[in-house]
Amino acid sequence: MKIYISGIDTDVGKTYLSARICKELGFDYFKLIQAGMPKDSEVVAQFSPKTKIFKEGVFLQTPASPHKGRILENLSYKAFDIQIPQSEKLIIELAGGLFSPLDDEKTMIDYMSAFKHPTILVAKDYLGSINHTLLSIEALKQRDIKILALILKTQDTFSKDFISNYAKIPIIEFDDKVCEKLLKIIY
């Protein structure tokens, strides 16, 4: 099983969720594109030292949007040339939000559409996050990308309840039992 870890934005917790899933559920790890340091794979390795970590699909030293980083670093690659490693159980962590550029033409969600695997969407609560979360869910549904669950980091039950009632997808709070709850959904 291959699962994308996607987010509604950058810094919503994709790497920490990836590390938890790898450690607690025995998945291997692959970062589709890494922009800047420290590498997310280093965070995963530190938290889950027994995890098999594949070399990232593309590494950019520039901590910026990949389409900008590739120009600044004079790198040439095409989004769809990035190959997903072979693995029985693989977490594929994306960068930024769903419409973050992967190269100068394609976005993360374009890649997901071309190479279909289910996703776990990660969101955190901030002013405007309900809109960002629902737009992300809608975009995934329109492209027929299966959403296994929304992992939501929030203390605000108003946000959680609204998203749950509107989107009608499984929502799991990002807490100590997140992997235990995901286990029931994944398998």
Side-chain angles (χ1 to χ4, degrees):
M1 169 173 265
K2 293 177 173 67
I3 300 173
Y4 290 114
I5 303 297
S6 59
I8 66 165
D9 201 349
T10 194
D11 290 330
V12 294
K14 294 183 300 289
T15 302
Y16 294 105
L17 178 65
S18 295
R20 297 264 317 260
I21 292 171
C22 289
K23 182 178 182 178
E24 296 178 35
L25 302 181
F27 277 74
D28 297 334
Y29 176 81
F30 174 65
K31 178 77 175 190
L32 189 66
I33 188 162
Q34 174 69 48
M37 296 290 282
K39 288 185 175 184
D40 292 339
S41 60
E42 293 170 356
V43 173
V44 173
Q46 185 176 26
F47 185 79
S48 182
K50 294 181 180 178
T51 294
K52 180 175 183 177
I53 297 175
F54 293 95
K55 185 179 184 285
E56 61 275 339
V58 173
F59 173 66
L60 299 167
Q61 294 181 12
T62 306
S65 179
H67 77 296
K68 179 180 179 180
R70 76 188 283 268
I71 292 169
L72 293 174
E73 296 178 33
N74 198 28
L75 287 180
S76 179
Y77 66 87
K78 293 286 187 188
F80 292 170
D81 291 342
I82 302 171
Q83 299 209 356
I84 297 171
Q86 292 300 315
S87 173
E88 292 291 318
K89 293 170 61 175
L90 183 66
I91 290 299
I92 306 161
E93 183 185 347
L94 304 180
L98 294 174
F99 286 94
S100 293
L102 190 49
D103 62 14
D104 56 347
E105 296 176 358
K106 304 293 182 193
T107 65
M108 301 296 152
I109 198 167
D110 293 327
Y111 191 90
M112 296 169 77
S113 294
F115 305 98
K116 294 271 192 195
H117 301 291
T119 190
I120 297 171
L121 182 64
V122 183
K124 69 178 180 181
D125 193 32
Y126 55 84
L127 187 59
S129 67
I130 293 172
N131 180 60
H132 298 157
T133 302
L134 293 176
L135 284 171
S136 296
I137 291 167
E138 190 63 28
L140 290 164
K141 286 180 176 180
Q142 283 184 1
R143 294 191 185 216
D144 199 30
I145 298 168
K146 183 177 181 178
I147 305 168
L148 295 173
L150 170 67
I151 305 300
L152 184 59
K153 292 168 50 176
T154 185
Q155 302 297 320
D156 184 354
T157 57
F158 292 105
S159 293
K160 180 183 173 192
D161 289 348
F162 187 85
I163 293 168
S164 177
N165 290 334
Y166 192 90
K168 309 242 185 295
I169 63 168
I171 296 179
I172 299 173
E173 289 186 42
F174 204 139
D175 60 18
D176 291 341
K177 296 185 186 267
V178 67
C179 286
E180 185 179 313
K181 296 171 190 171
L182 275 174
L183 188 60
K184 296 174 184 175
I185 292 171
I186 292 172
Y187 296 109

